[in-house]
């Protein structure tokens, strides 16, 4: 079962009426990402002005772009690298997520086995190595981002989900890992919620980070290595100038580069082909005020694991460094037509729904308030994990489609792009995962109809003991596997 959101509800969907508890808890919540609303953000770099040249131009100042620029300098410190960001570093998905840094490159083991079964052992090995190398880079560059290798606890809140946890434990053990399968009492000894029936604790495959501080630290490391960064420099076009290279245009200047790495996610694809593979899905998140010592003791959470429930529509949650609970997920939204706008970052009905579900999960925290409420766009593709490719005769490479699990996998994507741009086969470029593409989405309005139908079917499956209807079974047979 993949556990990240894909299909979503129509914008007109109704949330349950918020009670006094929920309304009071949300009153005064700041409409910005908690991560981005903290001291320490670097001042913006100047926009690009005039004409410049570079060996490598990186488009996008999120994790994919930052890792690409830094790794390019690590591979060749003399290489001339420029990074262009439309707003400021980490402004988009990289500064709005839950901060779960997973070793999985395939959006979970089950999704990887289903799609890339013949090379899953290699992908798992590469993913574990990638997470180790992220930890090493954070230490080496002295990035203060609260990196905690706590693992992730998946909890069952309905009887049918217990079988899912057992299947996941068996699949992990087949690869030599030993996740802890917990019964009701043991899982509640880890995090105390009356809704928990059991749990599966992957103790080593996930770390928690402050994603904004990780991005800011990578930005500093890039600058120290000699990368030229320009912010408030949205790229408008990439033109092929033959032997001279690719010209990357911004509003006030351009860069002529021998190679280009594209890491913009779902925002305004500069390659027309990417529009067929990506859809923008909005994810919404709440953060509480800091828990008091008594409140924290009331729910346990001594090991500070990241957590998620095992439904198709699922919540993910974790503690921050100052002991807030970040609580997000469940009500992922695709707005018909796929339009991306700042107005979609706020969705009061979804915030009320999330708050109500929070207090159902943790009734002992009645009275706590939420300090932040925000939304952001996930670059979603039909196979739930990133895909890769080249254009302009191999001089431009791209990585996109992380579907909510890009905090860790983006570094792997950066290495894939650099290998593709090098033009010589490598272990990464020979992977089936790298050489293949997801199933494209149909054009609108069929695209919206398919996504909304899938979202409704997933919700129905959660209500009906996990039983998948004819529509979901058809998608399964087609290899689309829409699980969440």
């Amino acid at each position: 079962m993949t556990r990240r959101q894909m299909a979503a509800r129509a914008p007109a969907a109704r949330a349950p009426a918020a009670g006094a508890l929920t309304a009071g808890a949300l009153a005064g919540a700041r409409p910005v990402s908690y991560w981005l609303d903290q001291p320490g953000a670097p001042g913006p770099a100047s926009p690009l002005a005039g004409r410049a040249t570079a060996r490598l131009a990186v488009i996008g100042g999120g994790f994919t772009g930052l890792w690409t620029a830094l790794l390019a300098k690590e591979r060749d410190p003399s290489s001339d690298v420029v990074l262009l960001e439309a707003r400021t570093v980490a402004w988009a998905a990289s500064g709005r997520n839950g901060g779960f840094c997973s070793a999985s490159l395939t959006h979970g083991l089950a999704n990887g086995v289903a799609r890339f079964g013949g090379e899953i052992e290699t992908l798992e090995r590469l993913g574990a190595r990638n997470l180790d190398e992220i930890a090493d880079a954070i230490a080496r560059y002295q990035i203060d981002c609260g990196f905690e290798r706590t693992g992730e606890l998946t909890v069952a809140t309905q009887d049918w989900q217990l079988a899912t946890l057992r299947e996941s434990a068996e699949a992990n053990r087949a690869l030599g890992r030993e996740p802890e399968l917990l019964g009701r009492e043991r899982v509640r000894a880890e995090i105390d919620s009356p809704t928990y029936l059991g749990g599966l604790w992957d103790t080593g495959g996930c770390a928690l980070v402050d994603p904004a501080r990780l991005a800011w630290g990578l930005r500093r490391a890039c600058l120290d290595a000699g990368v030229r960064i320009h912010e408030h420099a949205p790229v408008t076009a990439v033109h092929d100038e033959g032997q001279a290279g690719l010209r990357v245009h911004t509003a006030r200047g351009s860069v002529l580069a021998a190679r280009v790495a594209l890491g913009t996610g779902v925002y305004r694809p500069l390659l027309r082909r990417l529009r067929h593979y990506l859809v923008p899905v909005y994810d919404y998140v709440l953060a509480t005020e800091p828990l008091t010592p008594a409140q924290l003791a009331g729910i346990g959470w001594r090991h500070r694991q990241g957590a998620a429930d095992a439904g198709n529509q699922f919540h993910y949650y974790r503690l921050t460094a100052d002991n807030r609970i970040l609580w997000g997920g469940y009500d992922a939204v695709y707005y018909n037509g796929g339009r991306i706008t700042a107005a979609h970052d706020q969705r009061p009905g979804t915030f009320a729904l999330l708050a109500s579900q929070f207090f159902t999960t943790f009734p002992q925290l009645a009275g706590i308030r939420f300090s932040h409420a925000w939304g952001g766009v996930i670059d979603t593709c039909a196979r739930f994990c990133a895909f890769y490719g080249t254009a302009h005769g191999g001089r431009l490479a791209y990585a996109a489609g992380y579907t909510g699990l890009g905090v860790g996998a983006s570094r792997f994507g950066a290495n894939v792009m650099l290998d593709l741009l090098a033009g010589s086969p490598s272990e990464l470029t020979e992977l089936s995962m790298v050489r293949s593409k997801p199933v494209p989405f149909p054009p609108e309005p069929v695209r919206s109809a398919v996504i909304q139908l899938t979202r409704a079917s997933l919700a129905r499956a959660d209500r009906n003991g996990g039983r998948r209807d004819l529509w979901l079974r058809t998608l399964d047979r087609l290899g689309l596997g829409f699980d969440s």
Side-chain angles (χ1 to χ4, degrees):
M1 181 181 76
T2 64
R3 296 182 304 101
R4 287 295 180 256
Q5 46 270 70
M6 166 53 225
R9 76 171 57 196
R14 288 175 16 185
L21 178 66
T22 297
L26 287 167
R30 290 177 55 78
V32 293
S33 166
Y34 162 70
W35 307 118
L36 298 175
D37 189 35
Q38 58 178 323
S46 62
L48 178 67
R51 294 164 74 89
T53 60
R55 178 174 177 79
L56 174 66
V58 179
I59 305 174
F63 287 131
T64 299
L66 291 165
W67 281 118
T68 302
L70 184 58
L71 290 170
K73 294 294 285 187
E74 289 183 355
R75 292 184 181 201
D76 181 3
S78 68
S79 183
D80 185 15
V81 180
V82 62
L83 184 148
L84 304 170
E85 162 56 35
R87 298 286 289 267
T88 55
V89 160
W91 170 81
S94 295
R96 305 188 191 207
N97 59 79
F100 287 67
C101 187
S102 175
S104 177
L105 306 175
T106 60
H107 214 294
L109 179 57
N111 191 53
V113 169
R115 300 181 191 281
F116 316 109
E119 61 188 22
I120 190 61
E121 291 187 11
T122 298
L123 291 170
E124 290 292 296
R125 172 178 58 81
L126 291 172
R129 186 177 75 185
N130 183 64
L131 183 56
D132 288 341
E133 290 171 346
I134 289 173
D136 175 71
I138 289 171
R140 185 159 31 94
Y141 290 109
Q142 298 181 343
I143 299 174
D144 182 13
C145 62
F147 185 88
E148 299 180 272
R149 201 149 182 178
T150 57
E152 184 176 10
L153 180 66
T154 305
V155 299
T157 59
Q158 297 184 44
D159 288 335
W160 67 269
Q161 296 169 8
L162 293 170
T164 298
L165 299 187
R166 288 193 294 270
E167 292 168 3
S168 180
E170 291 170 3
N172 276 274
R173 287 168 184 153
L175 290 174
R177 293 197 296 263
E178 289 295 331
E180 294 188 41
L181 194 60
L182 310 177
R184 183 196 297 259
E185 296 304 316
R186 284 198 61 202
V187 73
R188 291 192 62 176
E190 292 297 330
I191 307 174
D192 190 11
S193 168
T195 66
Y196 293 173
L197 304 178
L200 182 68
W201 186 5
D202 174 5
T203 57
C206 185
L208 298 180
V209 299
D210 177 327
R213 292 193 178 277
L214 174 57
W216 298 338
L218 292 173
R219 178 187 186 275
R220 174 179 51 79
C222 284
L223 289 170
D224 290 346
V227 176
R228 289 175 288 145
I229 295 178
H230 296 283
E231 294 172 283
H232 296 291
V235 173
T236 56
V238 177
H239 289 146
D240 194 329
E241 296 197 356
Q243 294 296 322
L246 302 177
R247 186 166 295 279
V248 180
H249 295 269
T250 71
R252 297 172 53 187
S254 67
V255 177
L256 182 63
R259 298 288 185 268
V260 174
L262 182 61
T264 56
V266 76
Y267 284 90
R268 195 179 185 278
L270 294 164
L271 287 176
R272 185 176 297 273
R273 71 188 69 170
L274 296 183
R275 300 173 189 175
H276 303 300
Y277 296 113
L278 295 170
V279 295
V281 171
Y282 275 80
D283 185 45
Y284 294 95
V285 191
L286 302 175
T288 70
E289 61 192 0
L291 273 64
T292 66
Q295 288 171 325
L296 187 58
I299 58 173
W301 221 335
R302 293 173 294 107
H303 293 111
R304 302 182 63 83
Q305 312 96 321
D309 51 64
N312 292 308
Q313 293 176 294
F314 73 102
H315 305 93
Y316 58 86
Y317 42 110
R318 52 150 313 168
L319 292 170
T320 64
D322 59 353
N323 289 330
R324 301 169 192 264
I325 296 178
L326 181 145
W327 174 266
Y330 190 82
D331 198 22
V333 178
Y334 177 76
Y335 291 91
N336 288 341
R339 186 180 176 210
I340 299 174
T341 172
H344 293 163
D345 291 348
Q346 292 293 302
R347 187 175 167 88
T350 292
F351 294 143
L353 177 62
L354 284 172
S356 175
Q357 293 164 337
F358 175 89
F359 289 117
T360 297
T361 303
F362 297 120
Q364 62 269 54
L365 294 180
I368 201 168
R369 297 170 67 88
F370 296 100
S371 61
H372 295 78
W374 71 93
V377 172
I378 294 171
D379 60 328
T380 302
C381 73
R383 75 183 195 184
F384 305 99
C385 58
F387 62 94
Y388 315 91
T390 62
H392 295 290
R395 291 177 294 173
L396 182 148
Y398 59 83
Y402 295 100
T403 317
L405 215 64
V407 177
S410 54
R411 183 184 179 278
F412 176 82
N415 271 316
V416 170
M417 286 198 292
L418 291 173
D419 281 3
L420 289 171
L421 291 172
S424 299
S426 71
E427 181 180 27
L428 304 190
T429 62
E430 293 301 295
L431 291 168
S432 173
M433 177 187 180
V434 171
R435 291 185 287 108
S436 62
K437 295 288 188 294
V439 175
F441 291 101
E444 293 288 5
V446 177
R447 175 178 297 190
S448 292
V450 167
I451 290 175
Q452 306 304 359
L453 174 60
T454 306
R455 170 56 159 74
S457 291
L458 289 169
R460 189 158 46 247
D462 278 338
R463 294 193 301 269
N464 294 327
R467 291 185 292 275
R468 299 168 74 79
D469 63 17
L470 177 61
W471 174 248
L472 293 179
R473 294 198 303 273
T474 300
L475 294 178
D476 292 338
R477 287 194 295 271
L478 294 173
L480 296 178
F482 290 99
D483 284 314
S484 63

